[in-house]
Amino acid sequence: MIVIRQLLIIPLIFFSLTAFAQFTAAKHVIIVAIDGFRWQELFTGADSSILFDQLQVKDTAMMKSLFWHHDPIERRKKLMPFIWNYWASRGQLWGNQSLYSNVSVHNPYRLSYPGYHEMLNGFIDHRIKTNKPKKGKRDNILHTIASHDGFQGRVALFGSWERFNDMVDTGFVAVNAGYQLFETGTHGPDMRLANEAISHSSYKHLGTRPDMLTFSMAKDYMRAKHPRLLFIGLGETDEYAHQRQYDLYLNQAALIDKMLCELWTLIQHDPFYKDQTLLIVTTDHGRGRHRLNWHRHGIAVSGSREAWIMMIGAGVEPLGEMENTASVKLRQIPSLISNSLGLHYQPKHRVASSFIRLKPQSGTDHALSGNNKFSERK
Ligand SMILES: [Zn+2]
C-alpha cells in the first residue's frame, strides 16, 4: 500500500513542478497601491457631479480646463495620460464596473488596514477590522518570499502611511514608512533629498508623508539595491478625499500617473529589470459613489468594496481594459505574485488562488528553475 502511494505521489509532484515552471513569467515583481483611489476616476476621469461643486473644488474653472471633457474616454486620458495612452494598449486593467469587470475587497470593513492585510496575506483576519495597529500579523507574502533563496535581502516596502511599519516584519523585509528616515546603506540624490525633507518637516505628527518622498526613496532603493519584490504604498489620494478636496485628489491622481510613467521608464531602462519585471497597481478599498459620500468609505458606505487592479510587464498579455470577467478579489493578489515568480505561497491559512495565469516568457530561463525548494509548502 505504501509503495503504491509513493508511486502515485511522485508523478503528482512532478506535474506540480512542471505546472509552476510553465507559468513562471517574471523574475521580479513591483506592486504599487494607491490608497482609496476610486475606479470611477481611473476608468472615466473626473466626476462631473463633484468637479463642479464649489464646496469641494476651489477653482472649478481651472479644474474644468485641466480635467474635463464630455467624452469619458477623452476625459480619463486628461487625468491619467500614461495609463490610457500607453499602459492600456500594453497591459491589463481590471475593475471597470460599467464593463462588468468587477474587482472588490473581500473583507467587510472596507478600511485601509484590513484592505492591505487582504492584499498582502490572501485571506481575511477578522481581528483586523480597524486601522489601529496590531502586532504579530506580519507573515504575509512579502515576509514569505523574503525567506526564500534568491530573495533574502531583496524584498522591500516603502509606504507613505506609517501603519505599514506594523504590517511587515522588518527582520525580513526592508521597511520604511511615514515620517521615518532611511538610514542604512549608501544613498543616491533622491534618498538624500527625501531624508532631508523628512528631517526638516513640520508635519511629522501626521500619519502620512507626501507620496513624492515615498516614491523618491523607492526609486533610489531600486537603483542601489535592485529589490526583486518591492511594495510601494501611496497614501495622499485617501487623505485629500477625506478632506473633501476633490481638486487635490485629482491633482494627486495626475501626479501618480507621472510617477508610474517614471517607474516604468526606470524598469525598462535598467538591464536588471528590463522585460522581466511584472508591475501591479491596485487600491486597498473603494469609496462612496456620490457627491455627498465619495469622501467616505467603510462598512456602511456603498461603493467602498469596489476596487481595481492593473498589470503590465513580464507575462502580461496586452488585453487592455477587461470586460465581462468573473469577480476578482484583492485577496487573490498574493497568489498572483507568487505564481508569477514561480513560487508557492502557502501560509497557515488557506489563501485565495490567483485570478489569472500569466504567460510564460519565451526562450528565456525561468526565474527560479532548478531550485525545487520554491515549490515546497511552508
Ligand atoms: Zn481612508
Side-chain angles (χ1 to χ4, degrees), residues 190-206:
D190 280 328
M191 191 72 87
R192 280 201 297 275
L193 273 173
N195 271 342
E196 189 104 345
I198 288 169
S199 61
H200 292 106
S201 175
S202 313
Y203 299 102
K204 288 179 196 158
H205 57 287
L206 299 178

Side-chain angles (χ1 to χ4, degrees), residues 91-111:
Q92 296 179 16
L93 300 98
W94 297 64
N96 187 344
Q97 305 267 335
S98 51
L99 298 179
Y100 304 100
S101 172
N102 297 311
V103 177
S104 60
V105 300
H106 191 66
N107 77 80
Y109 312 110
R110 297 149 200 182
L111 298 174

Side-chain angles (χ1 to χ4, degrees), residues 113 127-128 130-138 161-167:
Y113 196 176
R127 289 170 296 184
I128 297 175
T130 69
N131 284 337
K132 289 185 184 145
K134 292 263 182 195
K135 300 287 180 192
K137 303 282 170 291
R138 299 168 154 190
W161 190 29
E162 64 182 1
R163 188 64 64 248
F164 283 111
N165 271 314
D166 298 289
M167 298 184 207

Side-chain angles (χ1 to χ4, degrees), residues 7-67:
L7 284 172
L8 283 171
I9 286 169
I10 290 166
L12 279 175
I13 290 172
F14 179 75
F15 174 77
S16 163
L17 294 178
T18 309
F20 273 107
Q22 191 182 349
F23 289 103
T24 297
K27 286 189 175 178
H28 322 293
V29 176
I30 297 172
I31 314 133
V32 179
I34 307 174
D35 201 307
F37 184 54
R38 302 193 311 166
W39 71 268
Q40 289 92 334
E41 278 78 22
L42 173 61
F43 289 101
T44 66
D47 183 330
S48 62
S49 72
I50 317 168
L51 186 68
F52 303 123
D53 179 352
Q54 292 177 337
L55 291 175
Q56 305 190 70
V57 173
K58 284 197 177 71
D59 187 337
T60 51
M62 186 185 84
M63 295 309 280
K64 181 182 176 187
S65 69
L66 285 175
F67 297 126

Side-chain angles (χ1 to χ4, degrees), residues 35 112 131 238 242 285 287 297:
D35 201 307
S112 288
N131 284 337
D238 190 67
H242 282 296
H285 56 72
R287 324 192 69 85
H297 61 92

Side-chain angles (χ1 to χ4, degrees), residues 161-278:
W161 190 29
E162 64 182 1
R163 188 64 64 248
F164 283 111
N165 271 314
D166 298 289
M167 298 184 207
V168 184
D169 190 333
T170 52
F172 284 83
V173 181
V175 180
N176 177 277
Y179 282 89
Q180 180 187 15
L181 295 171
F182 191 86
E183 291 176 307
T184 52
T186 321
H187 300 160
D190 280 328
M191 191 72 87
R192 280 201 297 275
L193 273 173
N195 271 342
E196 189 104 345
I198 288 169
S199 61
H200 292 106
S201 175
S202 313
Y203 299 102
K204 288 179 196 158
H205 57 287
L206 299 178
T208 302
R209 70 184 172 199
D211 290 334
M212 193 47 94
L213 296 180
T214 301
F215 180 59
S216 297
M217 296 167 102
K219 269 191 308 180
D220 199 286
Y221 191 84
M222 281 175 71
R223 292 193 198 101
K225 298 281 185 186
H226 286 125
R228 297 193 57 193
L229 176 58
L230 173 66
F231 184 98
I232 303 173
L234 304 176
E236 281 182 286
T237 38
D238 190 67
E239 300 293 323
Y240 295 135
H242 282 296
Q243 296 162 15
R244 301 186 75 165
Q245 294 185 295
Y246 195 60
D247 41 6
L248 299 187
Y249 171 84
L250 291 180
N251 281 337
Q252 194 62 23
L255 181 61
I256 289 171
D257 180 77
K258 290 190 173 66
M259 289 183 203
L260 293 174
C261 177
E262 197 179 336
L263 178 62
W264 185 245
T265 307
L266 192 159
I267 288 169
Q268 288 301 86
H269 284 81
D270 186 330
F272 181 83
Y273 290 116
K274 184 177 166 54
D275 297 333
Q276 43 198 6
T277 302
L278 168 64

